[in-house]
Amino acid sequence: MMSTAALDIIFLESHEAALRALLHRENGSEAAAYVLFGKAEIAADPWSKQPRIRLISHEVVPITSDEMVSSSSVHVTWSTQGFMRLLGLAQHRNLVPALVHTHPGAGAFFSDQDDRNEAELARTTFNKGAQGLASMVFGQHDAIVGRLWKSAKASTKASSISIVGSKIKIWRADAGREDTEFLARQAALFGKGFNPIVRALRVGVIGCGGTGSAVVSLLTRLGVGHLALMDNDTIDTTNLNRVHGSRAADVPAKLAKVDILAREIEAGGLGTQVVTRRAWVGDPSLRDVLRSCDVLFGCTDDNQGRLTLNRLAHYYGIPLIDVGLRMRSAKSGVDYDMTGRVTTIRPGNPCLICLGVVNAQRAAAEGLQRNDPAEFERRKAEAYVEGGGDPAPAVVTFTTSIACAAVDELIQGLTGFRGQGGMTHNRIRRFDRVEDRSMTCRPIPTCPVCGTEDTWGRGDVNPFLGVIG
Ligand SMILES: [Zn+2]
Ligand SMILES: [Zn+2]
């Protein structure tokens, strides 16, 4: 039996803005444009265990004025020549073609006329051998509806539509029926609309050590309804100074960090649906989990893992809030260096490579250590590779403080409490001074991840994330 996959539609902020500008008519008549979407085919959503499809906007394709046939406040028609061209492009690049039209001064819904017109276009689409046709209606007050035609007769309505950029806006078909009395005090600050949004939110946390455990604890109290915890490690004695929820008895029991955090969430009884994966972020078994999230927190100090997340944020339009700490002890003549960093990565921002956050040599060494430990040890002995040295210093107040700053960025993305500028791209906190700064950079034009829009919303490609090996 074939079950119907849930459908999410993600617009990148710049694509949505381009569409709105393109489709605006001073005279209030309808307008239309095409979009090519990347697709994520998720076999099993980790929370529902059901298949899920995500469409992520990749490119806006205008309908030229010579293709327009007629339009009024209640209809728009255009020649299908451009549509045939779009189908060709979509098939060639393995993208999903989509049609967007407006209902100025009316709601976002599919009219009977839309149903008939789109069924016709869907027939053309499937006759040409394409895999699907998406369509969206932009109504008044920024309302959007969307659906995916899987044949000329059947379509699935989107259960969530989001706009991802410096802000995160998500509309869900089935949000907001849960009792969230324990969140009343934050509704008092952000309004009644805030709690249903966090309740429906799906957040992945990669790395469940000092910062990750604090992030998880904060997200649970914030009321985030769906958490996915990913970490390969078990707890050791030197983690007990900072991993929230860990107990001394967990060390001899050799408990996994993800299981410790899940235990604490369950014990809290706040209704969070938590899933755990004991694996490294690059492990193929995590792909469905990662691609099912609305937001990711990068709390790993693993360079190769960061490179994976950096790409994932671009390919799938999932904002990544990456957290890092650098702690160096004072030596004679040298002061402390105690720096925390929170970086928001998404299409349109300079990436972790451009910021110099990821060390490519270390990433390579980590890959070797994971795949061929004997060879890694041999090269380390000969001083050919870095890493595997003394563990970095860590103190609970600093790991927890930077975790708070990271979760604040999520709240800023959802509410704009700090103003309309959205999430800060790169925030640097110097604990050894009284200093909190926003420091951004320019993207490197040749950067393979953020230097080109080819990666934006590209979705599934083979190999995964365009990375060989
Ligand atoms: Zn319509
Ligand atoms: Zn870059």
Side-chain angles (χ1 to χ4, degrees):
M1 202 195 94
M2 206 177 77
S3 60
T4 308
L7 174 67
D8 299 332
I9 295 173
I10 299 176
F11 280 101
L12 302 185
E13 193 172 65
S14 59
H15 292 151
E16 195 250 357
L19 275 168
R20 293 223 179 263
L22 206 59
L23 297 176
H24 179 74
R25 296 285 179 276
E26 287 299 337
N27 64 4
S29 52
E30 290 194 8
Y34 302 128
V35 181
L36 290 167
F37 280 88
K39 182 162 69 165
E41 278 187 279
I42 297 157
D45 171 300
W47 292 282
S48 71
K49 314 278 196 295
Q50 297 297 309
R52 175 175 290 276
I53 291 176
R54 273 202 171 163
L55 300 178
I56 316 101
S57 67
H58 177 65
E59 189 181 335
V60 173
V61 182
I63 294 175
T64 56
S65 54
D66 57 299
E67 288 173 52
M68 291 304 298
V69 175
S70 70
S71 68
S72 73
S73 62
V74 293
H75 92 290
V76 55
T77 53
W78 62 96
S79 87
T80 50
Q81 240 171 26
F83 185 69
M84 299 310 283
R85 210 165 42 237
L86 182 84
L87 292 184
L89 272 177
Q91 242 175 317
H92 179 63
R93 293 160 63 191
N94 197 24
L95 295 162
V96 177
L99 168 69
V100 180
H101 79 280
T102 54
H103 285 177
F109 67 97
F110 293 103
S111 68
D112 294 345
Q113 184 69 43
D114 293 337
D115 289 346
R116 284 193 296 274
N117 292 351
E118 288 179 12
E120 191 58 43
L121 291 170
R123 191 167 303 120
T124 308
T125 304
F126 288 100
N127 284 345
K128 266 213 105 189
Q131 301 168 29
L133 173 70
S135 73
M136 289 107 212
V137 176
F138 282 26
Q140 62 184 357
H141 311 306
D142 293 345
I144 306 176
V145 289
R147 62 184 172 185
L148 178 65
W149 291 83
K150 306 242 204 61
S151 73
K153 291 203 174 72
S155 67
T156 308
K157 266 193 104 170
S159 50
S160 91
I161 297 184
S162 47
I163 299 172
V164 164
S166 60
K167 292 166 209 150
I168 303 166
K169 295 186 207 162
I170 308 178
W171 294 272
R172 286 185 215 269
D174 61 348
R177 281 186 287 278
E178 209 179 333
D179 176 25
T180 50
E181 203 188 330
F182 84 96
L183 300 171
R185 298 295 188 94
Q186 66 191 30
L189 189 61
F190 296 129
K192 279 196 165 59
F194 181 70
N195 290 340
I197 289 170
V198 291
R199 233 33 202 152
L201 207 61
R202 312 160 137 257
V203 180
V205 180
I206 299 96
C208 295
T211 51
S213 65
V215 163
V216 166
S217 166
L218 294 165
L219 292 174
T220 306
R221 298 284 166 198
L222 191 67
V224 168
H226 308 81
L227 281 175
L229 314 182
M230 292 161 260
D231 193 311
N232 203 15
D233 286 348
T234 48
I235 196 90
D236 72 36
T237 305
T238 68
N239 300 141
L240 294 173
N241 77 325
R242 63 192 185 283
V243 174
H244 292 259
S246 66
R247 304 171 192 176
D250 297 339
V251 178
K254 295 189 168 57
L255 284 195
K257 289 176 181 171
V258 291
D259 293 333
I260 292 170
L261 301 195
R263 174 187 69 196
E264 297 306 302
I265 294 168
E266 303 282 352
L270 298 177
T272 317
Q273 293 182 42
V274 57
V275 295
T276 57
R277 294 290 186 274
R278 200 176 155 191
W280 174 66
V281 63
D283 193 297
S285 70
L286 293 189
R287 288 175 189 172
D288 273 3
V289 181
L290 292 166
R291 292 180 303 158
S292 296
C293 292
D294 299 313
V295 179
L296 296 170
F297 280 86
C299 303
T300 171
D301 49 15
D302 160 357
N303 287 272
Q304 224 191 10
R306 278 212 178 94
L307 284 175
T308 302
L309 295 173
N310 191 49
R311 273 187 179 263
L312 197 103
H314 286 81
Y315 275 70
Y316 292 99
I318 304 173
L320 166 68
I321 302 176
D322 188 74
V323 188
L325 282 162
R326 184 178 63 217
M327 293 281 144
R328 282 189 202 133
S329 179
K331 299 189 190 85
S332 64
V334 184
D335 288 341
Y336 280 102
D337 175 1
M338 299 163 64
T339 306
R341 173 187 56 80
V342 176
T343 309
T344 55
I345 298 299
R346 41 107 183 158
N349 270 352
C351 78
L352 291 175
I353 300 170
C354 293
L355 277 164
V357 165
V358 191
N359 180 320
Q361 269 97 46
R362 287 236 179 95
E366 288 160 6
L368 184 66
Q369 189 172 21
R370 209 170 350 256
N371 300 324
D372 190 350
E375 177 64 11
F376 173 80
E377 288 306 324
R378 194 184 66 76
R379 291 199 202 167
K380 200 177 112 187
E382 294 173 14
Y384 284 130
V385 295
E386 281 186 68
D390 293 336
V395 175
V396 66
T397 53
F398 309 121
T399 51
T400 304
S401 166
I402 207 67
C404 288
V407 178
D408 280 352
E409 287 309 322
L410 172 64
I411 299 173
Q412 164 64 5
L414 295 171
T415 67
F417 73 87
R418 221 189 275 143
Q420 287 308 303
M423 297 185 284
T424 304
H425 172 229
N426 191 44
R427 190 167 158 190
I428 303 293
R429 178 170 292 178
R430 289 289 303 255
F431 296 102
D432 52 322
R433 303 172 193 164
V434 184
E435 190 182 281
D436 222 7
R437 288 205 288 169
S438 160
M439 286 173 71
T440 190
C441 74
R442 282 172 195 282
I444 299 166
T446 54
C447 176
V449 179
C450 73
T452 162
E453 293 188 18
D454 288 352
T455 59
W456 293 22
R458 190 64 186 77
D460 294 342
V461 292
N462 192 6
F464 185 64
L465 300 175
V467 182
I468 296 157

